[in-house]
Amino acid sequence: MSRIDKRFADLKARGRAGLVTFITAGDPDHDTCARLLAQLPVAGADVIELGMPFSDPMADGPSIEAAGLRALANGASMKTTLKLVTDFRKKDNDTPIVLMGYFNPISAYGVDKFLVDAKAAGVDGLIVVDLPPEEDDELCIPAVKAGIHFIRLATPTTDAARLPTVLQNTSGFLYYVSIAGITGAAAADPDAVGKAVALIKQHTKIPVAVGFGIRDGKRAAAIASVADAAVVGTALVERVAEAQMKKIDPAEHVLELVRELSTAVRGVAKAAA
């Protein structure tokens, strides 16, 4: 059983949803990011999404785009991103790590080399925003053969006719984007999300994590009540920028919010398996 499968099975047995946290690799710099990454599970992150810095994102709002640019300006690359995972795994062999981003940096690194190095580093899954199911031969199928989950996005515009195609070759969990737009653009509506998750679960048994538009504990708890996990990204990377302005420790400023989110999510009781 993979780390992701094991983590969601454990969450179900415990009768609670999970907290998925997103940070950008190398933001604001490699050493601070490494320190933050190591402490995320301690603060309550159940699954970690690590953004692969890219100069031309399509689905990311200004905050995550700025995080990527900060990281790139400080020397972040695919090589340093994978080193972050390698170093994390020296002390944590349980918390799933999913790399999230775009195909361009992977293609530039070389797909075959990327999959070998990502697996060796301890990467558990990939979310590649700009590769639709029609392009599965490019990365999805090779990744699955390499033992790395390929996690697909579904959105409010994904209708019942399209959903089976989206779910094809998707494993680990499905990432449901709660709003029609970029990250951080609007707040998630728990009622609408609940109806969407219920529809998705008519087509699949894999867990459904919901992200985009979740900024605080109250909304994370509301999403946790209707989904298998709540994903928070923009609010966390904005904390890095805030910390730099206030000249305080970015890692601790992010972890403070992760603790709040984790407490809220863990406070939502669900039926145990």
Side-chain angles (χ1 to χ4, degrees):
M1 182 181 286
S2 72
R3 289 189 192 91
I4 293 176
D5 293 338
K6 185 177 180 182
R7 179 55 50 97
F8 276 101
D10 182 60
L11 289 170
K12 188 173 183 180
R14 290 171 181 263
R16 71 171 179 89
L19 173 65
V20 182
T21 58
F22 173 97
I23 61 172
T24 297
D27 178 38
D29 59 70
H30 186 87
D31 290 346
T32 302
C33 185
R35 186 158 50 87
L36 169 59
L37 186 62
Q39 289 300 311
L40 282 174
V42 180
D46 296 298
V47 177
I48 297 170
E49 289 180 2
L50 191 59
M52 298 177 282
F54 182 47
S55 58
D56 301 287
M58 294 184 300
D60 297 319
S63 298
I64 293 180
E65 183 176 10
L69 294 177
R70 281 195 299 269
L72 290 170
N74 283 318
S77 65
M78 185 61 77
K79 186 176 180 180
T80 61
T81 297
L82 294 176
K83 186 176 188 310
L84 282 170
V85 182
T86 299
D87 291 343
F88 175 86
R89 281 280 170 254
K90 292 176 181 175
K91 294 185 178 179
D92 189 323
N93 198 38
D94 298 320
T95 305
I97 291 188
V98 175
L99 296 186
M100 182 172 184
Y102 301 87
F103 185 54
N104 185 291
I106 297 172
S107 178
Y109 191 87
V111 169
D112 292 344
K113 178 175 172 51
F114 169 76
L115 290 175
V116 169
D117 291 353
K119 184 65 177 177
V123 171
D124 302 293
L126 299 174
I127 301 174
V128 182
V129 176
D130 52 350
L131 277 185
E134 287 76 12
E135 305 296 334
D136 273 0
D137 288 340
E138 293 279 358
L139 180 63
C140 172
I141 291 174
V144 171
K145 287 182 178 177
I148 298 175
H149 288 292
F150 200 85
I151 296 151
R152 196 89 68 189
L153 299 171
T155 74
T157 60
T158 305
D159 59 23
R162 177 66 173 169
L163 190 56
T165 303
V166 171
L167 289 168
Q168 186 176 4
N169 296 323
T170 298
S171 62
F173 62 91
L174 180 74
Y175 188 137
Y176 180 70
V177 176
S178 65
I179 59 173
I182 57 176
T183 57
D189 178 351
D191 291 337
V193 169
K195 291 176 183 176
V197 171
L199 175 62
I200 291 169
K201 284 186 171 291
Q202 293 177 13
H203 294 263
T204 183
K205 293 183 179 179
I206 66 173
V208 180
V210 176
F212 285 44
I214 305 170
R215 303 186 62 85
D216 54 33
K218 181 179 180 181
R219 196 154 296 270
I223 295 300
S225 70
V226 297
D228 297 300
V231 187
V232 181
T234 295
L236 298 181
V237 302
E238 284 180 350
R239 286 247 165 170
V240 175
E242 287 177 3
Q244 288 188 307
M245 291 179 60
K246 295 178 179 177
K247 300 187 183 306
I248 59 177
D249 181 13
E252 182 53 36
H253 199 44
V254 173
L255 292 169
E256 182 182 67
L257 179 55
V258 173
R259 295 186 196 101
E260 175 194 326
L261 294 165
S262 174
T263 299
V265 168
R266 293 176 188 226
V268 178
K270 305 181 77 169

